[in-house]
Amino acid sequence: MRRLERKDMRAFLDKLASAASLVAPVREDGVVVFRPVSSGEQVVLDYVNPVRSAKELFFPQTEVMFRFLPSPVAGITPVQPDRQTVLFGIRPCDLAALSLLDEVFLGGDYRDACWARRRELTTLVGMACEQPDESSCFCTAFGITPGTADGADIMLYPAGEWLGVEVLTPRGQALLDRVLSDGAVALGEIGPPGAASQAGAGGGAGEAGDRLQQEYLKRPVRLGDRLRVGDLAKELDDRFDDPYWEEASRRCLGCGICTYLCPTCHCFLVTDVPKRDDGVRLRCWDSCQFKDFLLMAGGHNPRPTKKERTRQRFMHKLNYFVHRYGRYLCTGCGRCVQHCPVGLDMATVIADLRGVSEHV
């Protein structure tokens, strides 16, 4: 692990922006979102998490999948991104979410070409969480921590007046080599002389870097530490007909904000838009919480009431996905906790199902 002085961060970001298309957290209308930036001055560093997750950079809310020509000419032209991109400041929960969506879009017999292309072109620069939100973050419930770097190409660990820089992949090393190539920005050693934080005091650079990393891996997350899902997936095998789903569904408004802000929800709708001389196939986000989501041409709807739709959302993430992929489809980012207008969020439902509501 190397050391980047915080005073050099703007210059570091400028170099990232010159090396590729840079997407980073910015503040717009009072909220933090990921946006393309042209300089480090636009980037905010004092944030818990952008209100919208990183999934929309790989799975846009609306996208053209390909263009087509009508018969008798008939032809298809794929539409795929071609720009090298650096995503800066992604938190451990969103890194974990991307790996879960990789299972969906890249696993099995079919690869989603649009998702695969964006993943191939994007270098991920992660940022460990200095201060997880006490009332909404619960990543540790799923075994993720404020310092988990799985999926990142480069991971940054804030440590007072400097940040630890850990390169994790050849792609991350290639990016860092480009950023440092002209000497305008330099990384130092994490050593004892003049070290500003406890992590930098004593031992060699390797030991100090390990201490900093361990500090983040063990950092408490109040809500997540109380939830701990454990073997909840197995417990839910026998709770498909549990009266709880009817009770919980009474609160749901069916607005779908939980699914749109969730970093792992991935329902979508595909539609063809023909024009006189050509046409496009569009893909846009959909939500299993909408009443017509499964409505069929003959009028049958397998999930006709909010009870079935509410159950589907939580059973999919806490049971079905676990049986199929061996992992929970939630990373405890806390966006549903912050934004569900009726408090029907993942943390609340887990606490209710486990009977620990009074402790969280």
Side-chain angles (χ1 to χ4, degrees), residues 43-278:
V43 180
V44 298
L45 300 174
D46 58 334
Y47 66 100
V48 175
N49 220 350
V51 67
R52 292 160 63 170
S53 79
K55 81 175 177 186
E56 66 178 332
L57 303 175
F58 304 91
F59 173 46
Q61 188 169 1
T62 301
E63 67 176 326
V64 176
M65 302 178 73
F66 57 78
R67 301 182 187 284
F68 60 83
L69 296 173
S71 62
V73 180
I76 292 176
T77 305
V79 177
Q80 292 193 343
D82 57 5
R83 298 194 64 183
Q84 293 285 342
T85 300
V86 174
L87 174 56
F88 174 88
I90 181 171
R91 297 296 193 188
C93 53
D94 278 3
L95 284 168
L98 292 181
S99 74
L100 286 166
L101 292 181
D102 282 344
E103 300 272 16
V104 176
F105 289 117
L106 304 180
D109 296 331
Y110 302 99
R111 287 170 57 88
D112 186 285
C114 298
W115 175 273
R117 184 62 176 157
R118 290 190 177 92
R119 290 286 273 144
E120 290 167 3
L121 290 172
T122 304
T123 304
L124 300 176
V125 180
M127 180 74 78
C129 294
E130 287 185 273
Q131 193 167 8
D133 188 273
E134 287 198 353
S135 61
S136 63
C137 292
F138 59 105
C139 63
T140 50
F142 296 99
I144 305 163
T145 77
T148 300
D150 295 347
D153 296 297
I154 297 173
M155 194 69 182
L156 304 180
Y157 299 89
E161 296 302 314
W162 53 278
L163 299 94
V165 180
E166 183 183 27
V167 177
L168 296 160
T169 68
R171 181 159 57 181
Q173 186 62 60
L175 174 65
L176 197 59
D177 290 344
R178 291 202 299 277
V179 168
L180 303 178
S181 60
D182 65 359
V185 178
L187 301 183
E189 298 294 334
I190 302 176
S197 84
Q198 187 177 1
E207 293 179 15
D210 290 344
R211 280 199 297 275
L212 176 59
Q213 188 178 49
Q214 287 299 316
E215 179 187 322
Y216 274 100
L217 291 174
K218 296 177 181 176
R219 188 159 292 194
V221 178
R222 191 196 69 84
L223 183 57
D225 294 345
R226 286 168 167 77
L227 283 176
R228 299 291 181 188
V229 293
D231 56 358
L232 178 60
K234 185 176 180 181
E235 295 173 18
L236 290 177
D237 284 346
D238 299 323
R239 300 185 66 174
F240 186 82
D241 294 320
D242 195 304
Y244 174 75
W245 304 120
E246 176 68 37
E247 176 188 335
S249 69
R250 294 194 192 108
R251 294 156 57 187
C252 181
L253 301 175
C255 67
I257 192 171
C258 53
T259 56
Y260 284 169
L261 297 184
C262 176
T264 65
C265 280
H266 52 273
C267 292
F268 59 83
L269 171 71
V270 173
T271 185
D272 289 342
V273 183
K275 301 177 183 176
R276 187 169 63 180
D277 299 324
D278 61 2

